[in-house]
Amino acid sequence: MLPLLSLPLLLLLAASNNACAHEREINIGGLIDSSSQLGKEQEIAMKMAIQDVNLLCSNCSTKLTLHLRDSHGNAAQATSSATDVINGVKVEAFLGNLALPQAALVSDINNCSAEIPFLLLSPTAVALPQVPSTNLIQVANDIAVHMQCIVAIVGQFKWRKVTAIYQQKNSFDLNNGIITLLSDSLQVVDATIEQHVAFPPISPLGSPGFNIEQELAKLRNNTNRVFILVQSSLELAIRLFRKATQMRMMETGYVWIVSDEIASLLDSVDPSVIFSMQGVIGYKTNFIDTSDTFRTFKLKFCQNYGAIYPQDRNSNPSIFALRAYDATWVIGKALHNQQGNVMSQVLLQNILLSNFNGLSGNISFRNGELAQTPTFQIINVIGKSYNEIASWSPTLGFSKKSPRQIDHGSNPAIDFGNVMAELGPIYWPGGQLTVPRGWDLNMLKPLRIGVPACGAFHQFVNVTLVQNGTEVTGFSIDVFKAALKHLPYPLPHVLVPFYGDYDEMVQQIHLKGLDAAVGDTNILEERYHWAEFSQPYVKSGIALVVPTKPNNTKETWMFMHVFEAKMWIIIPSFSLFIGFVVWLIEHGENPEFGDGSFSQQIGTVFWFSFSVLFFQQKESLKNNLSKVVLAPWFFLVMMLTANFTAALTSKLTVSQIVPAAKDIETLRRENAVIGCNRRSFTCSYLENVLHIKPENIKHIRSIDDYPEAFQKGIIKGAIFVTAHANVFLAKYCKGYATTGPTFTFGGLGFAFPKHAPFVLDFSRAILKAIEVGEIEKIEREMLSSFNCSASATINSDSPILGLRPFAGLFYICGSAALVALLLTVLPLMKNRWSLSYTQEALKIRVFSLLFLLLNRSSSGPNLQQLKQNSDAKSDDHVETHAT
């Protein structure tokens, strides 16, 4: 018996049915795959949306009717079912899980459906320039964003190679395009896809377990241990992980990354599935699951799902169910805006203009797909469920905040390592807490490492025949062995002599003929096309070595190179100043300085200034002030003399030589022949970069052939890598030297295949060997093995003396001389001024008397008065000057 409160509701529904008895039915076509968890959730969500639209729509003149078809996971049946529902039922719109190319085919087959809106519910949206149809709308995010998230995870853990696994769900899937997109995206983090494996759809497999086991066995036999499920149904992933667990591929050292298509459905799987996926990491699209609207939807969804699929234990709605619900509401809202006048073109336009907040997020479209940029939750499967360890978005990168807390105006790209420290450790397969290396050393075959067997400098790599084969020694080999000691793992290898040139040896790495190359190989930009290089173990450049010759001109005037040029001006000038001050002090009372004519006095000053430099002055000093001036000057002269003698002696003990040619440009202008190592890049560098004529380039076979070529005049200079030049000069130190500028290069390093997983570890090992001094010690031992001591050098070690070491003494001498000069000159100036004033007064008086004598006859009575006036004037003048 129904409760009494139900009677008014029944009466209301009956009235509503009578009022809407003549409502128009609008058909919506739909397609699901009930064999998959994804299809089941989409079915429940679409039916719920149709009910809610019909219940909440205020206009009862229209009613939405959903006509669902089931593909059962078969691509051909999906196309047939979609065509059947479009032709069999006059539908105004279509929504379902169809691939974009498949939907384009259905739209083309049915000409009447060219303007019918297709809302596609695939997990990801793909771009197809060759599909011009504007009625195909993908209710998903661009697959490129998904690839960026995968690449971000790979890059943060610095894995260099990955294995991509995908499922060919139907013949319309763009699997190759997805792999290409992932491969291109991985280049950003310097990683690559080593291998990709395609699994067929689940249903056609005769023995799914056997087929999966076969493919996994192949993957296990490779060295790479980073596996990415780029595209896969949940059903395939469940079988794959169960089989991987049985095959011990979920243990320590393995890495498994799952995409959103799997991670977003983990809330609906059995605990046994979670148990088989321990340590897996992945990403799932974030949505708000705390709102009242979502909680109401989740409650009704679980009830409906349990009623239809009671055998399934869990039934939590995923992002794909929410999008199916929102997509159905997009059609309902667009029809409502047409006020019952259904026109396909107008309906399509209204759908494209949709903009509202649904359960899955903001629903709006741009370029035929969802416009909202997604945020992904990075998850780690552990225990009975999974942990959310971080969030990621294309604009912000990784963040320790939950997606709901992310401020999209904040700074991007928080470091992933810091995120782990905040949110706890990641549990990798096998319970490992440290980041897996990403490749299995035990599966690594011994590396075939090429070594140059025909190099000109055997000091770096020397290949000799022994009874059991070949023996490889040399500086580069010793450095390689030193780096091996610092690797965190053993690296099996075998050294293989290579009898080509260096470029060919590096190219063989790209052609898979060699696994690596060890030797005195220069790191050049063009060689990066073929291989990847380690950290340089020796700095490198190009140096010019030429014969030397004695510098006779320089030896003739060698004494002039002891002091700087300004010192040769300062010393005599200062000495002349000191001599002048002494003469000025002494000439008034010392006859040795005061006697003689003006020219003799000038000669006395110059002679005294010169002789005092050698302590050979004959004049005796009478004034103590002169002695005060000369005392610091004698000390300064003694210091200058001692340093001059020492520096000149040092220069005379070493024979001064100069290079026979100044630089490479000089040799080029002289059209001289230049030698280079026969198998080195230096020969091509001479021709292509330094523009030396080919006929002026001489290929030399060995280091020991260079001296003979120099002596016979075959070559005038030789181009070496700086490391080779050091060895040549250490062995043939007499008669040769480097000259001109050095052209810098990347250094000497070891070559490995591109994206080799151990390149980074090897670079670290080389740096460690450099830091502890091992490589420097090896180099020192190699150079010291040559017992050669040069008798001449281009640049003497004796420095040229300048003013700075003696500046303090010059200040003291100058100050003393200046004070003495002032003490001498000021009294003389005062006496001279007084004498000049007295003489002027006398002149005035004389002239006045003369004037009176001449005018006495004409003005006798006034003579006495005029005399008194003249005396008064002269006295006033003297008094004024005295004052």
Side-chain angles (χ1 to χ4, degrees), residues 525-536:
E525 185 275 333
E526 61 183 14
R527 290 176 178 173
Y528 264 100
H529 296 295
W530 310 104
E532 191 169 346
F533 288 87
S534 67
Q535 165 76 21

Side-chain angles (χ1 to χ4, degrees), residues 267-290:
D267 290 322
S268 301
V269 298
D270 294 332
S272 61
V273 176
I274 297 295
F275 177 78
S276 66
M277 296 178 64
Q278 295 294 297
V280 171
I281 61 174
Y283 67 95
K284 56 179 294 188
T285 304
N286 171 69
F287 59 87
I288 300 175
D289 57 0
T290 57

Side-chain angles (χ1 to χ4, degrees), residues 658-735:
V658 294
K662 183 179 180 181
D663 51 27
I664 194 73
E665 183 63 24
T666 302
L667 295 177
R668 190 176 66 84
R669 287 197 305 267
E670 295 176 355
N671 211 29
V673 179
I674 303 174
C676 61
N677 295 343
R678 183 180 61 174
R679 298 183 182 275
S680 173
F681 77 99
T682 53
C683 296
S684 60
Y685 187 84
L686 280 173
E687 181 178 356
N688 300 328
V689 180
L690 300 180
H691 307 294
I692 304 298
K693 298 178 182 179
E695 58 269 21
N696 291 338
I697 300 175
K698 178 67 175 179
H699 294 245
I700 306 297
R701 182 183 182 88
S702 172
I703 179 177
D704 299 322
D705 296 335
Y706 281 97
E708 182 181 358
F710 276 119
Q711 293 169 6
K712 293 183 178 180
I714 299 176
I715 59 175
K716 298 297 183 181
I719 284 289
F720 291 111
V721 175
T722 51
H724 293 170
N726 294 336
V727 172
F728 179 81
L729 294 178
K731 186 174 183 179
Y732 303 101
C733 56
K734 298 179 181 179

